[in-house]
Amino acid sequence: KNGQMKNKDDECFGDGMDDVLDEDFDFEGNLALFDKAAVFSEIDSSDRRGNGARSRGT
Amino acid sequence: EINLMEELTLKGITQFYAYVTERQKVHCLNTLFSRLQINQSIIFCNSTQRVELLAKKITQLGYSCFYIHAKMMQEYRNRVFHDFRNGLCRNLVCTDLFTRGIDIQAVNVVINFDFPKNAETYLHRIGRSGRFGHLGLAINLITAEDRFNLKVVEDQLVTEIKPIPGNIDKSLYVAEFHSASLNSEAE
């Protein structure tokens, strides 16, 4: 688990992104990769099928 | 000043999300800094380590920031927070230290650089005490992993976090753009 966290930190804060920083982040293009309504209804239906792991503790 | 019974509300806060990967988060934040009219901002991370790494990045990008996290001495934390409250710095990076919500009027933008793991934490980060008619912006950086927590937060707090528009209306969060009608309503 700690290894996973370290990977995330490396990805997030590592070098290699400085070139793109002059350009604006493409909000619209990235939002198009995430269909919130579809993702949420998928989560709902997998919960209904008795895959209760996700709702644990909530 | 501290009132534990005061309920936190999301009223007056406009909530948006941007969809990102870990690798894109700093780039996304940099663009937000350049586009938003920030009076003061608070930026939340999910670990002490990430607070320190992000504060360093933000400084490298040329923005001023303070940071505080749970592993600092309480006395030192208080001093930094006090200085931030007095406007000595525009941005504060931190972990979850506020259990009563943020009661700094000058903070008009809160950014969840890391999305919180549950609804209660989200409310503590973003919510304001109902006493103030506060307008503000909450921007959430959402990764694919965060989709479950995003849904939990929306469901449990009965709120909607919308996709970030290309152009954010300044009257939603910048004091001098508040309409006269809103000002008279708050009185």
Side-chain angles (χ1 to χ4, degrees), chain B residues 54-138:
Chain B
L54 182 59
K56 198 172 150 196
K57 275 279 174 200
I58 289 174
T59 308
Q60 282 169 1
L61 293 172
Y63 298 97
S64 70
C65 75
F66 285 163
Y67 68 93
I68 39 180
H69 55 62
K71 286 185 185 155
M72 290 173 168
M73 298 273 291
Q74 182 68 46
E75 196 183 326
Y76 179 75
R77 263 193 268 165
N78 290 347
R79 198 169 71 220
V80 174
F81 188 68
H82 179 264
D83 286 349
F84 178 71
R85 181 191 283 278
N86 285 339
L88 267 63
C89 190
R90 192 178 288 273
N91 307 295
L92 176 71
V93 184
C94 59
T95 50
D96 297 297
L97 300 167
F98 309 103
T99 51
R100 292 173 296 272
I102 302 152
D103 60 346
I104 305 178
Q105 288 288 292
V107 172
N108 67 333
V109 177
V110 176
I111 297 172
N112 280 324
F113 187 82
D114 296 326
F115 198 71
K117 302 286 178 211
N118 60 60
E120 193 189 2
T121 305
Y122 184 86
L123 187 60
H124 285 152
R125 290 180 181 188
I126 306 299
R128 306 292 184 126
S129 67
R131 182 156 54 115
F132 303 113
H134 194 95
L135 291 189
L137 207 59

Side-chain angles (χ1 to χ4, degrees), chain A residues 8-9 11-14 17 20-21 23-25 27 30-31 34 36 39-40 43-44 54 58, chain B residues 17 19 22-24 26-28 30-31 35 49-50 54 57 61 145 147-148 151 154 161 164:
Chain A
K8 255 193 195 175
D9 292 353
E11 265 183 51
C12 189
F13 303 104
M17 74 215 347
V20 299
L21 286 177
E23 301 162 25
D24 269 6
F25 178 72
F27 287 97
N30 279 282
L31 284 170
F34 179 61
K36 189 172 138 197
V39 168
F40 280 13
I43 294 172
D44 270 338
R54 295 260 139 67
T58 58
Chain B
Y17 69 87
Y19 191 66
E22 280 299 326
R23 202 176 286 277
Q24 290 173 321
V26 171
H27 185 197
C28 179
N30 188 51
T31 305
R35 285 195 194 172
Q49 167 85 347
R50 289 173 69 86
L54 182 59
K57 275 279 174 200
L61 293 172
E145 249 178 62
R147 62 193 188 278
F148 305 106
K151 187 170 188 305
E154 284 200 355
I161 304 174
I164 189 168

Side-chain angles (χ1 to χ4, degrees), chain A:
Chain A
K1 173 122 202 195
N2 275 339
Q4 256 178 35
M5 279 168 62
K6 172 141 195 342
N7 278 346
K8 255 193 195 175
D9 292 353
D10 287 346
E11 265 183 51
C12 189
F13 303 104
D15 297 322
M17 74 215 347
D18 296 351
D19 297 342
V20 299
L21 286 177
D22 294 336
E23 301 162 25
D24 269 6
F25 178 72
D26 180 9
F27 287 97
E28 209 176 23
N30 279 282
L31 284 170
L33 304 173
F34 179 61
D35 183 344
K36 189 172 138 197
V39 168
F40 280 13
S41 73
E42 195 188 317
I43 294 172
D44 270 338
S45 65
S46 83
D47 280 351
R48 265 198 304 277
R49 282 199 301 272
N51 181 1
R54 295 260 139 67
S55 50
R56 194 166 23 114
T58 58

